Amino acid sequence: MLRIAPQDEARGLGKIMFDKILIANRGEIALRVLRACKELGIPTVAVHSTADADAMHVRLADESVCIGPPPARESYLNIPSLLAACEITCADAVHPGYGFLSENARFAEILAEHNITFIGPKPEHIRLMGDKIEAKRTAKRLGIPVVPGSDGAVSSNAEASAIAAEIGFPLLVKASAGGGGRGMKIARSAAELPTALATARSEAKAAFGDDSVYLEKYLERPRHIEIQVLGDGRGNAVHLGERDCSLQRRHQKLFEESPSPALNTAARDKVGETVAQAMRELNYQSAGTVEFLYENGAFYFIEMNTRIQVEHPVTEMITDIDLVLEQIRVAAGAELAMTQADVKFHGHAIECRLNAENPVSFRPSPGKILHWHPPGGPGVRVDSGAYQGYVIPPYYDSLVGKLIVHGKTRTECLMRLKRALDELIVDGIETTLPLFRALVREPAIIDGDYHIHWLEEFLAKGSVEG
Ligand code: MV4
């Protein structure tokens, strides 16, 4: 059957669309993908473990297939089960969501070998960005500013000392196979360098089976600012501005906003255009995020994520671009629906991640939701698979839902967020809601004056009451 995406219809460009999309994920992102498929008129297949039989994504999909027992390794990460699910349902495309198999280049290749489209980047780009040394080398070659450091892996203490003499201390030792903060060690002086190297190496070997490490100048109090990109794999790419994701605890983001309170239009346009041009040169296809540290007015590339991210709605709210729908369109071979000149930024958006966790200890709090009342009204979006009576299983991440709020200005957005947080009712489990109610009243948050260590320092002061 011939289906036409609304954008293509409007431009008179009929494109052949997928017959059926299998969503290889769970929770709110499975729902998010399902919504995009419905708006494109594409039938959907949900997959689920035995623990997720009653999940909302299963109820809302056209068809569902049980792919295994609760542990993710036997279900959501089980490639043979997923292939079988595609086969029995005649799905011709798979959307991986985030996490699970979303950045597994081998999975993307296996699907291609079975004539099933992986809705995401080309395997070569997933693999390239998965190797942090190669990713950084590529970024540098494409004119993206990087953190000063070693050019590739360091092979000896002597080599590390020579680099330290050039760039000075503090230094950070990072694992080439790392990312997301795993396998990093700080060396504050020459005396600490051999131990930092040895510890990072052995941790990297244990965690990733690869002990190669590289060195970077350690930035003390940067912000974490990431640029959203979208490419069609045919030389067209745009940037959709930034998200400031500095508010995190143990590398888990909790509160994200766009635009960043730290950037002006000129700074955004400059880094955004550099990144978009790099993606054009790579022929990058699909949505992607280029992560930077930002300190004293300068951007430093750290890594690139080749998936749709949890916090993508913040960008959708200020650009009016449906990122998941665009991922599907370009995976089907369509051209990007917009040029950089078409991308306009409107107002301000903030996302809060509602996790089933104790707001002080952050211990997981799975169990039955006894009462669920999401907020509504102007500028409010809730992406969640929660419902009254739903039992959050203990096997997966603790994300219950995301509250995303939009306003014409940051002030309106914050006032709206405060009001939405006050409307939200979730009973039966503990959640991070009290943390957000405290945050929106905090002067540093109201002023936008924070960095990547701010939240952990705030929590250490005992600022949140459960
Ligand atoms: C850094 C850094 C300071 N200096 N690199 C942590 C996750 C990984 N993707 C990169 N990370 C960092 N790299 C240099 N040269 C500080 C961090 C970091 C961090 C970065 C982003 C968001 C939260 C963070 C929390 C602690 C450390």
Side-chain angles (χ1 to χ4, degrees):
M1 184 179 160
L2 190 78
R3 287 192 192 77
I4 298 168
Q7 285 89 331
D8 300 319
E9 190 176 37
R11 300 193 311 159
L13 293 169
K15 295 281 179 189
I16 296 174
M17 253 297 160
F18 301 118
D19 285 326
K20 200 185 274 187
I21 294 178
L22 182 140
I23 303 161
N25 214 301
R26 63 182 301 282
E28 67 85 20
I29 194 63
L31 270 178
R32 173 69 190 85
V33 175
L34 211 140
R35 287 172 173 146
C37 293
K38 287 213 175 198
E39 291 181 17
L40 285 167
I42 305 169
T44 51
V45 180
V47 295
H48 65 91
S49 71
T50 53
D52 280 339
D54 296 326
M56 208 61 204
H57 76 278
V58 177
R59 295 195 193 185
L60 287 181
D62 296 296
E63 291 172 79
S64 65
V65 180
C66 180
I67 50 164
R73 149 179 45 82
E74 296 175 59
S75 49
Y76 299 104
L77 292 170
N78 184 337
I79 295 176
S81 274
L82 288 162
L83 283 177
C86 289
E87 167 116 15
I88 61 175
T89 58
C90 299
D92 58 352
V94 171
H95 196 300
Y98 51 68
F100 297 130
L101 295 166
S102 60
E103 290 176 290
N104 185 317
R106 191 64 202 125
F107 179 54
E109 283 168 351
I110 291 169
L111 288 176
E113 285 161 15
H114 290 78
N115 290 317
I116 300 165
T117 304
F118 176 78
I119 302 175
K122 300 165 187 167
E124 67 197 81
H125 290 144
I126 301 176
R127 199 166 273 128
L128 172 69
M129 296 304 170
D131 178 329
K132 303 306 157 186
I133 288 177
E134 280 308 314
K136 190 175 174 186
R137 199 171 268 146
T138 304
K140 197 172 174 180
R141 174 171 66 78
L142 296 171
I144 297 174
V146 302
V147 192
S150 59
D151 181 21
V154 288
S155 50
S156 68
N157 285 2
E159 191 187 342
S161 299
I163 292 154
E166 250 177 69
I167 60 178
F169 289 95
L171 279 177
L172 192 59
V173 187
K174 292 186 170 182
S176 181
R182 294 173 305 167
M184 302 196 316
K185 284 284 166 282
I186 303 173
R188 296 208 167 264
S189 66
E192 288 179 13
L193 192 50
T195 313
L197 279 164
T199 314
R201 261 191 219 294
S202 75
E203 285 185 12
K205 182 80 193 168
F208 320 112
D210 172 0
D211 73 350
S212 61
V213 297
Y214 62 106
L215 287 182
E216 277 185 355
K217 171 146 201 66
Y218 178 66
L219 305 174
E220 298 274 6
R221 292 191 151 215
R223 300 178 80 110
H224 178 185
I225 297 179
E226 56 188 32
I227 306 292
Q228 177 70 55
V229 296
L230 200 50
D232 63 8
R234 302 150 158 252
N236 302 306
V238 295
H239 78 85
L240 303 179
E242 79 282 11
R243 294 183 289 262
D244 195 319
C245 305
S246 303
L247 293 172
Q248 58 85 38
R249 177 188 173 274
R250 297 192 183 173
H251 305 292
Q252 289 298 117
K253 296 167 185 166
L254 282 157
F255 175 109
E256 303 101 344
E257 65 178 313
S258 187
S260 168
L263 293 194
N264 58 34
T265 303
R268 168 177 316 106
D269 288 351
K270 181 159 180 263
V271 69
E273 190 42 45
T274 302
V275 167
Q277 187 53 36
M279 295 304 124
R280 288 171 201 132
E281 282 174 44
L282 277 180
N283 261 327
Y284 187 77
Q285 178 164 348
S286 199
T289 302
V290 180
E291 295 191 347
F292 291 92
L293 297 178
Y294 179 79
E295 195 171 69
N296 301 324
F299 281 95
Y300 303 92
F301 171 91
I302 44 172
E303 42 196 83
M304 179 173 182
N305 301 318
T306 53
R307 60 170 188 271
I308 191 79
Q309 291 197 232
V310 177
E311 61 272 26
H312 77 276
V314 161
T315 299
E316 294 186 326
M317 298 286 267
I318 67 155
T319 60
D320 274 318
I321 292 168
D322 184 326
L323 282 166
V324 178
L325 187 142
E326 292 301 329
Q327 281 189 298
I328 296 169
R329 285 185 63 258
V330 299
E335 275 189 32
L336 219 50
M338 76 293 287
T339 65
Q340 193 63 54
D342 299 324
V343 178
K344 298 277 194 291
F345 302 104
H346 309 280
H348 199 97
I350 300 177
E351 171 177 281
C352 292
R353 297 195 193 185
L354 196 68
N355 292 335
E357 292 168 357
N358 177 284
V360 177
S361 68
F362 292 90
R363 279 180 39 132
S365 176
K368 189 170 189 166
I369 297 177
L370 300 177
H371 200 121
W372 170 251
H373 180 83
V380 175
R381 166 173 170 182
V382 177
D383 279 19
S384 175
Y387 57 87
Q388 192 168 320
Y390 175 61
V391 180
I392 298 167
Y395 308 101
Y396 313 106
D397 72 29
S398 59
L399 188 66
V400 183
K402 309 183 300 204
L403 168 62
I404 311 102
V405 169
H406 183 266
K408 285 188 290 298
T409 62
R410 190 169 186 272
T411 304
E412 184 181 75
C413 188
L414 275 171
M415 291 307 285
R416 205 163 252 177
L417 175 58
K418 196 183 288 182
R419 152 323 248 172
L421 289 167
D422 288 343
E423 276 178 42
L424 174 60
I425 297 170
V426 49
D427 288 339
I429 54 165
E430 294 182 296
T431 75
T432 45
L433 182 56
L435 164 64
F436 298 120
R437 287 181 176 159
L439 279 184
V440 294
R441 289 164 173 83
E442 202 51 37
I445 301 302
I446 293 166
D447 295 344
D449 183 15
Y450 55 80
H451 51 78
I452 61 171
H453 304 296
W454 187 91
L455 184 61
E456 287 175 356
E457 291 169 11
F458 175 73
L459 294 167
K461 287 185 289 192
S463 308
V464 182
E465 285 174 37

